Amino acid sequence: KDGLGFVYDKATLKFRQTFRYNGEGWGLTHDGKRLILSDGDARSGLRFLDPVSFVETGRVVVKDQGSPVADLNELEFVNGEVFANVWHTDRIARINPSTGEVTGWIDLKGLLTPAERTNPEAVLNGIAYDAATKRLFVTGKLWPKLFEIQLVPKK
């Protein structure tokens, strides 16, 4: 909410610097060349930042069949796409970062039982991809479990 980012050394986790940006920081990932940021606002979409200067270098509005998609939260870059969960849903949008178009949806409804959701804020909020092993993991805020998932085309 303060528009302040923190940089840590990846090997030592030692604090290195801060940087400023506009908006809130809901999700952050990278494509190997630039940082990709979401602040949850449909009008802002995905913003691209230079990883050295942290200057915004571009943005795309995320749309599903022409309609803007709001509340993009946790982000992960997976095989050329941005995966973004939609806050307070069990869905992850698969986004083409060049166009902002949603290419598909990952439906994670039913991963947790209602009894495992002990709080209204126990929402899907974590995506991690291990490129070396091609493994995809999801979890959520206040979730008691971490899931490894495999994507299967809808029939």
Side-chain angles (χ1 to χ4, degrees), residues 3-5 19-30 34-41 44-49 54 56 58-60 62 72-75 82:
L4 186 63
F19 65 93
R20 291 235 165 250
Y21 61 92
N22 292 325
E24 294 184 9
W26 281 36
L28 184 67
T29 190
H30 70 91
R34 49 196 184 162
L35 299 175
I36 305 170
L37 172 82
S38 170
D39 64 10
D41 188 326
S44 298
L46 297 177
R47 299 182 341 199
F48 304 102
L49 307 178
F54 306 106
E56 185 174 323
R59 65 174 65 193
V60 293
V62 175
L72 297 177
N73 200 7
E74 167 69 2
L75 305 179
V82 175

Side-chain angles (χ1 to χ4, degrees), residues 7 32-35 49-55:
V7 180
K33 298 179 209 146
R34 49 196 184 162
L35 299 175
L49 307 178
D50 179 275
V52 176
S53 68
F54 306 106
V55 170

Side-chain angles (χ1 to χ4, degrees), residues 94-147:
R94 297 175 68 166
I95 304 163
N96 177 327
S98 298
T99 65
E101 288 299 317
V102 173
T103 61
W105 290 95
I106 301 168
D107 182 0
L108 297 174
K109 190 179 205 176
L111 278 182
L112 285 186
T113 67
E116 291 172 312
R117 291 193 186 227
T118 58
N119 185 306
E121 290 302 313
V123 295
L124 177 67
N125 192 33
I127 309 167
Y129 181 66
D130 181 350
T133 62
K134 309 260 189 260
R135 295 168 62 194
L136 182 61
F137 300 90
V138 296
T139 190
K141 183 191 281 186
L142 306 174
W143 280 23
K145 298 177 182 175
L146 169 72
F147 296 89

